[in-house]
């Protein structure tokens, strides 16, 4: 293992470094932590939370379950009360490794769940062969960025992060235990820092919506319960929801400079631009043997807002999950890219037991439920509104299998997405990349800004956060619990800052959590749950949507974005050339 990053070794901050600019100091020293649990356990179990304020240890079991949004009155710099939407950064929570359960991981982070506490922690991974993590953001800046990007969404969608620290003395031993639960293809990276970010566990419904939430957790135990007590969570990575061909080019930048292939004699062709970014990148992944087949999913179908196109997109995700779809049952992943399609059909039997439907009919109901939840405006209450069930035509015959390579990614009309639904709000942020990409890349192309910022690629977050605080001070009390801050115009942020905010939404996740309601259970739910009920085929579901993985991007993102597109175009053309032979 490489040398550990000890820049946050004792997690002490000096006065004046707090995100809310408070004169506060907090510290948890190494001596505050207990011995970690030894032994070869069948699963990582989760531990207590210790709240350390000014060196005093306090047990903390409260769960801030307000995915719906919490309004806090914070004091402005001029002494007035202002809705600053700030995190309480005055403590770091220490997490005992003995009570952790492996949940999932992506390319950059491992997610572990805290049993009985309704939280998850994200630990940053580092490549074993290249320790140091120079291209990763420190946690203080991460939380700063999280506050800014969260303000661009309705409060109910983005959870509040908190700082945490893994309570273990031996990271080598911790990584060995963790490796037993991780996919083999992810083992090139490991945990080399104890510092982490804590989030509410959105695999379960918040207790403000569902009083049964704590009773529904089993964490690996085969508990016998009624099907209405099971909680499911679908994670979808929607990817880029806009097409490439209608970018606005200016400042002397032409399309071939932006998307031309890296060989000067290979210019872009029109057929390549008929594909969206996701569909083009599939051919790079296929060439590099990261996938076995091209996915039928197209993000433009999902973001179209048109029911049939959305159902086709969801069906494509189910058929080829890759890393873009996961399904959890009571906190455990039960379907993803590692599972056979038959596993998904068995899960549908759990959701719709003994209802006389065929597997295709159950799948249709499930897809309609996901579609309706993605389009739902949670600020409106629709009593007993049974949604119309839409059915897709059967797939084409196998002789037409090559049509997937020749298909075009149809453009979308953004007016079909309801204003307050999760998809529309994600797309609004993603479109910042579309409006700024040519200018930002032109600046990089002409001035080579990327190389000058290589030593500190996340320094921009400090200035971005200052602008966010200035905006809050100027607009005290003007934001309701559902409004987004109008921070994104050029009077506050420059083009590079808007680009980087938009880039964070390109790889975000949508977490759709739901539980089927028993007969007459709706009447016993809290008032806050009234707008979170979706009715499909006379079945009622309590649903919630969370937008996650809104991580800050490096200043190098633009160059990488364009380079990947250039490579994808070449790989697509090579594939089509071989196909025509």
């Amino acid at each position: 293992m490489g040398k550990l990053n000890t820049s946050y070794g004792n997690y002490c901050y000096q006065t004046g470094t707090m995100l809310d600019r408070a004169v506060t100091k907090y510290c948890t020293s190494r001596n505050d932590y207990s011995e970690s649990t030894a032994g070869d356990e069948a699963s990582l179990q989760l531990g207590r939370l210790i709240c350390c304020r000014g060196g005093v240890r306090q047990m903390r079991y409260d769960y801030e379950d307000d995915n719906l949004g919490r309004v806090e009155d914070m004091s402005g710099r001029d002494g007035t009360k202002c809705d600053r939407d700030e995190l309480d950064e005055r403590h770091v929570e220490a997490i005992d490794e003995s009570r952790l359960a492996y949940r999932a991981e992506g390319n950059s982070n491992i997610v572990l769940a805290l049993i009985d506490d309704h939280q998850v922690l994200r630990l940053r991974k580092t490549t074993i062969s290249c320790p140091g993590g120079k291209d990763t953001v420190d946690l203080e800046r991460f939380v700063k960025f999280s506050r800014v990007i969260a303000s661009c969404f309705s409060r109910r969608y983005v959870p509040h992060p908190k700082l945490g620290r893994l309570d273990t003395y031996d990271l080598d031993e911790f990584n060995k235990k963790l490796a037993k639960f991780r996919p083999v293809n992810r083992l090139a990276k490991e945990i080399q820092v104890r510092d982490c970010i804590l989030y509410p566990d959105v695999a379960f419904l918040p207790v403000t919506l569902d009083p049964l939430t704590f009773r529904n957790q089993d964490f690996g135990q085969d508990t016998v319960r009624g099907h209405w007590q099971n909680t499911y969570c679908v994670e979808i990575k929607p990817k880029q929801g806009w097409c490439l061909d209608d970018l606005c080019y200016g400042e002397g930048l032409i399309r071939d400079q932006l998307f031309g292939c890296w060989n000067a004699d290979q210019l872009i062709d029109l057929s390549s631009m008929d594909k969206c970014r996701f569909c083009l990148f599939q051919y790079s992944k296929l060439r590099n043997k990261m996938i076995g087949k091209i996915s039928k999913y197209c993000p433009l179908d999902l973001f179209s807002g048109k029911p049939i196109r959305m159902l086709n997109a969801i069906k494509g995700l189910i058929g080829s999950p890759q890393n873009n779809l996961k399904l959890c049952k009571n906190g455990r992943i039960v379907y993803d890219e590692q599972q056979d399609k038959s596993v998904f059909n068995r899960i549908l039997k759990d959701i719709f037991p003994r209802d006389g439907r065929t597997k295709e009919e159950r799948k249709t109901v499930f897809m309609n439920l996901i579609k309706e939840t993605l389009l739902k405006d949670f600020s409106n209450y629709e009593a007993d509104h049974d949604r119309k069930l839409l059915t897709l035509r059967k797939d084409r015959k196998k002789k037409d299998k090559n049509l997937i390579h020749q298909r075009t990614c149809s453009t979308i009309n953004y007016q079909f997405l309801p204003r307050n639904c999760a998809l529309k709000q994600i797309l609004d942020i993603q479109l910042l990349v579309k409006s700024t990409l040519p200018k930002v890349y032109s600046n990089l192309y002409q001035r080579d800004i990327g190389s000058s910022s290589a030593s500190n690629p996340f320094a921009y977050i400090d200035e971005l956060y200052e602008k966010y605080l200035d905006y809050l001070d100027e607009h005290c009390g003007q934001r309701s619990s559902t409004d987004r801050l109008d921070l994104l115009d050029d009077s506050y942020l420059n083009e590079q800052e808007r680009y980087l905010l938009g880039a964070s939404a390109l790889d975000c996740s949508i977490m759709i959590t739901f539980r089927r309601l028993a007969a007459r259970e709706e009447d016993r739910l809290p008032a806050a749950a009234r707008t979170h009920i979706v009715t499909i085929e006379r079945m009622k579901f309590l649903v919630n949507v969370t937008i996650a993985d809104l991580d800050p991007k490096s200043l190098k993102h633009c160059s990488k974005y364009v380079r990947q597109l250039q490579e994808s175009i070449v790989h697509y053309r090579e594939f089509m050339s071989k196909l025509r032979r």
Side-chain angles (χ1 to χ4, degrees):
M1 180 189 295
K3 183 179 178 182
L4 296 182
N5 181 352
T6 57
S7 58
Y8 287 82
N10 290 324
Y11 230 118
C12 299
Y13 288 105
Q14 298 301 318
T15 299
T17 62
M18 310 316 302
L19 303 189
D20 58 1
R21 306 180 187 180
V23 183
T24 307
K25 181 178 180 180
Y26 58 97
C27 169
T28 58
S29 68
R30 186 182 179 95
N31 293 331
D32 287 327
Y33 301 118
S34 63
E35 292 285 342
S36 51
T37 301
D40 223 5
E41 300 173 25
S43 66
L44 290 174
Q45 297 294 318
L46 274 199
R48 68 188 180 282
L49 297 181
I50 306 172
C51 175
C52 301
R53 304 190 183 199
V56 179
R57 300 167 73 225
Q58 302 174 15
M59 299 307 292
R60 179 179 172 86
Y61 286 95
D62 60 312
Y63 170 61
E64 294 178 4
D65 47 47
D66 52 3
N67 279 346
L68 301 179
R70 169 168 50 94
V71 178
E72 293 182 347
D73 286 328
M74 307 292 290
S75 295
R77 282 171 286 180
D78 58 356
T80 60
K81 290 291 183 181
C82 177
D83 175 18
R84 297 291 295 273
D85 196 26
E86 299 280 355
L87 278 173
D88 179 9
E89 302 299 340
R90 295 179 177 85
H91 68 276
V92 176
E93 296 190 0
I95 298 95
D96 188 336
E97 67 166 296
S98 66
R99 294 180 61 205
L100 289 173
Y102 177 84
R103 173 67 58 79
E105 65 183 282
N107 184 53
S108 302
N109 300 281
I110 291 179
V111 178
L112 305 175
L114 283 132
I115 293 175
D116 299 330
D117 200 69
H118 262 236
Q119 293 189 94
V120 295
L121 64 149
R122 290 199 339 168
L123 286 156
R124 191 77 180 183
K125 299 192 298 185
T126 305
T127 304
I128 298 174
S129 59
C130 302
K134 292 182 179 179
D135 224 16
T136 60
V137 60
D138 63 68
L139 293 191
E140 185 179 355
R141 281 181 173 151
F142 183 98
V143 178
K144 284 181 178 179
F145 184 87
S146 297
R147 303 313 299 151
V148 179
I149 191 65
S151 71
C152 301
F153 294 87
S154 295
R155 295 185 181 213
R156 62 172 50 87
Y157 288 131
V158 183
H160 293 166
K162 295 185 288 187
L163 296 173
R165 195 167 195 269
L166 179 65
D167 181 3
T168 181
Y169 284 109
D170 193 341
L171 279 176
D172 279 322
E173 187 63 29
F174 179 78
N175 278 303
K176 288 178 183 177
K177 288 194 291 185
L178 198 59
K180 299 175 183 179
F181 310 97
R182 300 176 58 197
V184 175
N185 63 327
R186 298 287 191 184
L187 294 179
K189 294 183 178 182
E190 66 179 12
I191 303 303
Q192 296 188 7
V193 292
R194 295 175 175 86
D195 311 316
C196 62
I197 297 291
L198 285 163
Y199 289 100
D201 188 351
V202 297
F204 298 93
L205 293 162
V207 293
T208 49
L209 295 180
D210 187 9
L212 288 178
T213 290
F214 283 97
R215 279 184 274 168
N216 289 346
Q217 301 184 61
D218 62 15
F219 292 99
Q221 302 175 16
D222 294 325
T223 306
V224 178
R225 55 161 63 92
H227 62 271
W228 60 86
Q229 292 179 296
N230 292 317
T231 301
Y232 299 89
C233 181
V234 180
E235 177 185 357
I236 293 175
K237 283 190 172 293
K239 298 299 182 177
Q240 181 174 298
W242 51 271
C243 54
L244 302 167
D245 203 27
D246 54 351
L247 282 165
C248 298
Y249 302 91
E251 302 293 327
L253 184 72
I254 60 176
R255 187 173 68 175
D256 289 337
Q257 286 177 294
L258 190 58
F259 296 117
C261 305
W262 62 88
N263 292 329
D265 59 336
Q266 290 182 310
L267 296 179
I268 196 169
D269 58 14
L270 292 177
S271 63
S272 299
M273 297 305 289
D274 288 337
K275 295 279 188 181
C276 71
R277 180 194 177 208
F278 174 86
C279 291
L280 280 173
F281 192 52
Q282 286 284 294
Y283 293 90
S284 288
K285 295 176 75 172
L286 186 67
R287 184 178 186 271
N288 295 324
K289 299 181 179 180
M290 299 169 64
I291 57 174
K293 63 178 182 179
I294 299 297
S295 173
K296 294 181 180 180
Y297 169 68
C298 176
L300 299 191
D301 289 337
L302 190 70
F303 281 99
S304 70
K306 291 188 174 182
I308 294 299
R309 289 186 64 179
M310 292 184 68
L311 291 178
N312 273 313
I314 297 167
K315 184 177 181 180
L317 287 169
I318 294 170
S320 181
Q322 296 185 13
N323 195 40
N324 304 309
L325 182 136
K326 293 183 178 71
L327 175 59
C328 288
K329 176 184 177 182
N330 299 324
R332 291 187 301 162
I333 295 177
V334 290
Y335 183 67
D336 60 8
E337 60 185 331
Q338 307 295 327
Q339 307 294 328
D340 187 79
K341 183 71 175 297
S342 60
V343 175
F344 179 77
N345 291 327
R346 288 200 298 269
I347 298 165
L348 291 184
K349 285 186 178 180
D350 291 339
I351 303 175
F352 312 108
R354 298 182 299 276
D355 57 3
R357 292 184 174 89
T358 66
K359 68 177 183 180
E360 286 300 318
E361 290 171 338
R362 287 192 291 265
K363 182 178 175 181
T364 296
V365 176
F366 175 83
M367 293 191 302
N368 275 265
L369 173 63
I370 299 303
K371 170 184 68 70
E372 292 298 334
T373 306
L374 288 173
L375 294 175
K376 187 168 180 58
D377 180 351
F378 288 93
S379 61
N380 294 329
Y381 173 62
E382 298 175 331
D384 298 323
H385 184 69
D386 197 349
R387 299 292 183 178
K388 180 181 179 181
L389 190 67
L390 299 178
T391 304
L392 292 175
R393 292 182 297 178
K394 290 185 178 181
D395 289 335
R396 295 175 181 269
K397 295 181 181 180
K398 290 186 177 180
K399 66 179 182 180
D400 297 326
K401 63 181 180 180
N402 288 335
L403 291 179
I404 187 174
H405 308 299
Q406 299 163 357
R407 72 176 181 186
T408 60
C409 298
S410 303
T411 57
I412 60 178
N413 188 334
Y414 305 129
Q415 69 181 11
F416 293 107
L417 289 175
R419 180 180 181 274
N420 289 319
C421 75
L423 280 177
K424 178 63 165 64
Q425 296 201 8
I426 290 172
L427 183 61
D428 287 345
I429 306 302
Q430 287 189 359
L431 289 173
L432 293 173
V433 175
K434 181 178 179 180
S435 62
T436 58
L437 175 63
K439 182 64 177 294
V440 171
Y441 184 74
S442 178
N443 290 337
L444 291 171
Y445 190 80
Q446 296 170 9
R447 304 174 196 171
D448 198 21
I449 294 176
S451 61
S452 64
S453 63
S455 60
N456 202 352
F458 294 98
Y460 74 91
I461 294 176
D462 296 331
E463 183 176 352
L464 181 66
Y465 189 73
E466 287 295 318
K467 291 182 178 181
Y468 162 73
L469 293 180
D470 290 339
Y471 180 94
L472 290 179
D473 286 346
E474 292 178 21
H475 298 80
C476 283
Q478 296 182 17
R479 185 189 183 197
S480 72
S481 61
T482 59
D483 287 342
R484 294 176 279 171
L485 292 186
D486 189 17
L487 177 68
L488 303 175
D489 60 67
D490 54 13
S491 62
Y492 282 95
L493 304 181
N494 60 42
E495 287 180 318
Q496 181 173 268
E497 290 167 337
R498 295 202 303 278
Y499 171 87
L500 290 165
L501 284 172
S504 71
L506 295 178
D507 294 314
C508 71
S509 296
I510 305 175
M511 314 295 289
I512 302 168
T513 314
F514 65 92
R515 181 174 70 81
R516 186 171 173 182
L517 296 177
R520 296 182 296 279
E521 186 182 358
E522 179 181 0
D523 298 333
R524 301 192 297 271
L525 291 174
R530 289 170 59 85
T531 61
H532 286 254
I533 295 174
V534 171
T535 305
I536 301 283
E537 290 283 282
R538 296 180 298 281
M539 293 179 290
K540 292 183 181 294
F541 295 87
L542 185 62
V543 303
N544 193 46
V545 174
T546 308
I547 300 171
D549 298 335
L550 291 164
D551 297 346
K553 302 299 181 183
S554 163
L555 287 170
K556 302 175 184 178
H557 182 274
C558 184
S559 298
K560 180 181 177 181
Y561 178 99
V562 173
R563 184 179 70 254
Q564 285 184 338
L565 272 174
Q566 293 170 343
E567 293 173 352
S568 299
I569 290 169
V570 171
H571 296 156
Y572 172 64
R573 292 173 61 186
E574 289 176 349
F575 181 91
M576 293 303 293
S577 177
K578 293 178 182 178
L579 195 65
R580 296 187 187 105
R581 291 174 187 171

